[in-house]
Amino acid sequence: MPLVNMAAVRLRRAAGEEERESRPPPPPPSHRSNHQFASMKNKFFNELTHLPNHKLKMPMWAVGAIVVVVLALVACLGFCIYKKCFNKGKKQKKARERKGGGGRGRRKKDKEGEDGDEKKDGEEEKEEEKEFFGKLEYTLDYNFNDNQLIVGILQAQDLPAMDMGGTSDPYVKVYMLPDKKKKFETKVQRKNLCPVFNETFTFKIPYSELGGQTLVLQVFDFDRFGKHDVIGEIKIPMNSIDLGQPIHEWKDLVGGEKEEQEKLGDICISLRYVPTAGKLTVNVMEAKNLKKMDVGGLSDPFVKVVLQHNGKRLKKKKTSVKQNTLNPYFNESFSFEIPFSQIQKIQVLITVYDYDKLGSNDPIGKCWIGYGASGVGLRHWSDMLANPRRPVAQWHTLLPEEEVDAALKAPIR
């Protein structure tokens, strides 16, 4: 029996081996790519699992959403770059077509623009012709007993603005042509386009000589730091009016050119102040190129020095007269006692006169040093105060007396 069992077991083993050999071998994998995709997928998810997600406690769907957003941004950026590069050529072609086709239209527009400019120029010329300078109210009267022409400057209206602030500082200058010997000026009316003057001036002229002269009323805009601008003027020939009765009228101002500044000469002044002693010394040194006042082409000059404190006259001094010269040498000193507390508001007025034995002395020119002055007059005064006990010399240009007087009357800024 044991032998029979053993034989049966052997037979079964042999049959099993035959079955195994008779079976076909398993087919190899047909798609190697599927295997690679699966391995990459496994690696990707392995990396995700190794991220510090456990620290942030971020769920897997959030990580996926972030990846999707990043991919969308990259796609948008690529689309924009493509659009720019692709449409550039089309834009250039369109621009060329516009340039080529729009040439004629542009030429027409240019011609139309030139015609329009010519029309505008014509309109501007008409506007300039119609330009309005304001108007002036004045009176004229002649006193036959005293041979005097009396000129009244009452007021002005609608003056143009000459300053940056939209206002003007007007005053009126009154003189006769062609002599210009005597000139008058009204007070300066600050920041006023409709100033009221109410001032009267008198010219002593025989009636027989009046017919050949012209009365000039010039309105100026006062400027402390520069030249005064002419706003407008009125010229009245004396032979064109009847002085048998007083004249009172308004007249429109006409644009006038500023009269050329007449050269009156220069004067050299030396100043010295001693604060401890309260002593101011003014030395009139010399003058040059003075205006010819006499018939012979010379002058007899002398200098008057007036000291003012805050506009009030304190003292005055005079030099000797130098005969028949336009370049006099004086070298004369005058001393004034001025306390240190008052020196800041002192004004020194220097006037050069032509001496006349028979009549009144005619002013040649004037200058102003000290408080309220500008330019050289202010600088000279400042240099003297900065250098106590030392004489400081400076040349000053002489100006018309009425111009300096108008500046002195104007309020100090």
Side-chain angles (χ1 to χ4, degrees):
M1 287 296 293
L3 292 173
V4 174
N5 290 334
M6 289 289 292
V9 170
R10 287 178 181 173
L11 287 171
R12 286 176 186 169
R13 285 179 182 175
E17 288 176 0
E18 286 177 2
E19 286 178 2
R20 286 176 188 171
E21 288 176 0
S22 61
R23 287 179 185 173
S30 60
H31 300 289
R32 192 174 180 184
S33 60
N34 293 337
H35 177 72
Q36 289 178 351
F37 175 76
S39 63
M40 287 176 67
K41 182 179 176 182
N42 292 332
K43 283 182 181 179
F44 176 74
F45 281 103
N46 286 335
E47 291 293 331
L48 285 178
T49 54
H50 285 87
L51 284 173
N53 189 28
H54 60 282
K55 293 181 181 178
L56 298 174
K57 297 182 180 179
M58 188 182 292
M60 289 299 296
W61 64 266
V63 176
I66 291 171
V67 172
V68 171
V69 170
V70 171
L71 291 174
L73 289 174
V74 171
C76 288
L77 182 63
F79 180 75
C80 291
I81 293 170
Y82 168 77
K83 270 285 199 184
K84 256 193 174 181
C85 296
F86 184 74
N87 290 339
K88 207 172 190 181
K90 289 185 179 179
K91 285 182 181 178
Q92 287 177 354
K93 285 180 183 178
K94 287 180 181 178
R96 286 173 192 167
E97 288 173 3
R98 286 174 187 171
K99 284 182 182 178
R104 292 178 184 175
R106 278 190 180 178
R107 287 172 192 169
K108 288 180 182 178
K109 285 180 182 178
D110 291 341
K111 287 180 181 178
E112 290 173 4
E114 288 174 3
D115 295 337
D117 291 338
E118 288 176 2
K119 289 178 183 177
K120 285 179 182 178
D121 292 339
E123 291 173 2
E124 287 176 1
E125 287 175 4
K126 289 179 182 177
E127 286 177 1
E128 286 178 2
E129 289 174 2
K130 295 177 182 177
E131 193 172 357
F132 187 62
F133 299 96
K135 55 185 180 178
L136 183 68
E137 183 184 13
Y138 65 91
T139 60
L140 294 177
D141 193 11
Y142 191 79
N143 187 332
F144 289 90
N145 295 326
D146 299 328
N147 290 330
Q148 291 180 342
L149 175 66
I150 303 165
V151 182
I153 305 298
L154 303 182
Q155 61 178 321
Q157 281 189 1
D158 304 324
L159 298 179
M162 305 294 285
D163 299 336
M164 295 293 289
T167 61
S168 294
D169 303 324
Y171 69 95
V172 182
K173 185 182 287 188
V174 183
Y175 59 93
M176 302 293 292
L177 289 176
D179 292 338
K180 288 189 182 181
K181 283 183 179 178
K182 205 166 188 181
K183 293 183 180 180
F184 297 102
E185 290 183 359
T186 66
K187 294 179 180 178
V188 177
Q189 302 296 319
R190 303 287 296 179
K191 298 181 180 179
N192 199 336
L193 300 180
C194 296
V196 177
F197 300 102
N198 287 331
E199 297 186 42
T200 304
F201 309 103
T202 302
F203 294 91
K204 193 165 186 178
I205 304 172
Y207 187 75
S208 58
E209 298 177 8
L210 198 60
Q213 300 197 35
T214 300
L215 176 66
V216 180
L217 310 177
Q218 273 188 325
V219 182
F220 284 84
D221 173 47
F222 176 79
D223 188 351
R224 180 178 294 278
F225 302 104
K227 293 183 179 180
H228 304 172
D229 299 319
V230 179
I231 295 176
E233 67 180 13
I234 298 171
K235 289 185 178 179
I236 307 168
M238 290 292 101
N239 57 9
S240 66
I241 59 174
D242 181 14
L243 291 173
Q245 56 185 3
I247 297 172
H248 182 180
E249 61 183 1
W250 283 91
K251 260 195 178 180
D252 290 340
L253 293 169
V254 179
E257 296 181 359
K258 185 176 180 182
E259 55 180 338
E260 291 184 7
Q261 186 71 51
E262 192 176 14
K263 292 183 179 179
L264 305 176
D266 302 281
I267 188 167
C268 186
I269 303 294
S270 174
L271 299 177
R272 179 175 179 263
Y273 183 66
V274 182
T276 53
K279 185 178 179 181
L280 173 66
T281 303
V282 179
N283 186 354
V284 180
M285 301 179 72
E286 60 178 315
K288 63 181 181 181
N289 304 324
L290 296 179
K291 180 185 175 183
K292 300 171 186 178
M293 302 295 287
D294 297 339
V295 179
L298 295 172
S299 297
D300 303 322
F302 71 93
V303 181
K304 183 166 75 172
V305 180
V306 176
L307 202 71
Q308 292 187 168
H309 177 259
N310 203 17
K312 294 181 180 180
R313 182 177 292 190
L314 298 178
K315 294 179 183 179
K316 64 178 180 179
K317 302 282 185 179
K318 291 182 183 179
T319 67
S320 58
V321 178
K322 303 298 178 181
Q323 298 289 335
N324 300 324
T325 178
L326 299 179
N327 299 285
Y329 182 78
F330 299 100
N331 196 23
E332 297 182 33
S333 296
F334 307 101
S335 295
F336 305 93
E337 292 182 2
I338 306 295
F340 183 72
S341 59
Q342 297 181 2
I343 194 65
Q344 294 291 342
K345 293 194 174 182
I346 289 294
Q347 296 168 325
V348 181
L349 312 182
I350 309 292
T351 310
V352 182
Y353 287 89
D354 173 48
Y355 177 73
D356 194 341
K357 291 180 182 179
L358 302 177
S360 59
N361 302 321
D362 298 321
I364 297 175
K366 193 171 184 177
C367 66
W368 166 25
I369 309 168
Y371 176 63
S374 61
V376 178
L378 178 61
R379 187 170 68 248
H380 191 188
W381 191 253
S382 301
D383 291 344
M384 179 202 72
L385 294 176
N387 297 277
R389 296 179 294 278
R390 292 183 183 179
V392 180
Q394 178 69 54
W395 281 96
H396 295 266
T397 300
L398 295 173
L399 300 172
E401 185 183 34
E402 58 272 11
E403 187 175 319
V404 176
D405 290 342
L408 287 164
K409 289 176 186 176
I412 297 171
R413 294 177 181 176

